[in-house]
Amino acid sequence: MSSNPFFLNKRSKRFFSLFYYFLLFFFAFFPLGYLLASENLRWLTNYTQALAEAKRENKMVLMNFTGSDWCPWCQKLDKEVFSTPEFKNYAQKNLVLLEVDFPQHKSQPAELKKQNEDLANQYNVDSFPTLILLSPQGEEVSSFGYIPGGPQPFIEKIEKLRQKAISKN
């Protein structure tokens, strides 16, 4: 054996070689942006805070009226759209997200429950999921429900509405 501290035997060389190719393969097929987008989205629950953030960052507010623990279409929307890297990337750049939840099996603070009920009345929400897009100034741009087809049609719908709202101003 050599006195060189960087001496590698054949077995070690093979291991490092395989490890190198694994890393090369991994980063070739899983770009860094994809990995970063896989983080959880930041859904606010405070309406006033969401509006203030939207105005400060000049972003639209996407209000998600949901029954998170009982509504099958809400859960489908979350699984097919909100949890995807495509939507997460888009939302992080363009939206302030506000969850207005009406759970049946988990408790909420009385203040949050009242805020959510007031918002449902203010925006005439009578079914779930209902999504309402607000301008950075808090003006209603549009409301819609579940859109089939995954994140792409959903993002296209929001982007079309966003561009329309921008062109008005």
Side-chain angles (χ1 to χ4, degrees), residues 97-164:
L97 302 172
L98 178 67
E99 182 181 68
V100 186
D101 197 8
F102 294 85
Q104 291 183 353
H105 306 292
K106 57 184 176 186
S107 62
Q108 290 180 311
E111 187 177 297
L112 180 61
K113 199 172 194 173
K114 179 171 179 3
Q115 172 203 262
N116 292 355
E117 289 169 0
D118 290 346
L119 289 172
N121 288 330
Q122 178 181 342
Y123 291 101
N124 300 313
V125 173
D126 58 5
S127 63
F128 300 103
T130 295
L131 298 133
I132 298 179
L133 192 63
L134 303 177
S135 72
Q137 294 74 35
E139 299 160 350
E140 184 174 343
V141 173
S142 183
S143 67
F144 53 98
Y146 172 81
I147 298 172
Q152 204 54 47
F154 192 87
I155 292 168
E156 287 171 5
K157 168 93 173 172
I158 292 174
E159 187 58 23
K160 188 175 183 181
L161 293 167
R162 195 174 79 82
Q163 291 302 324
K164 188 176 178 182

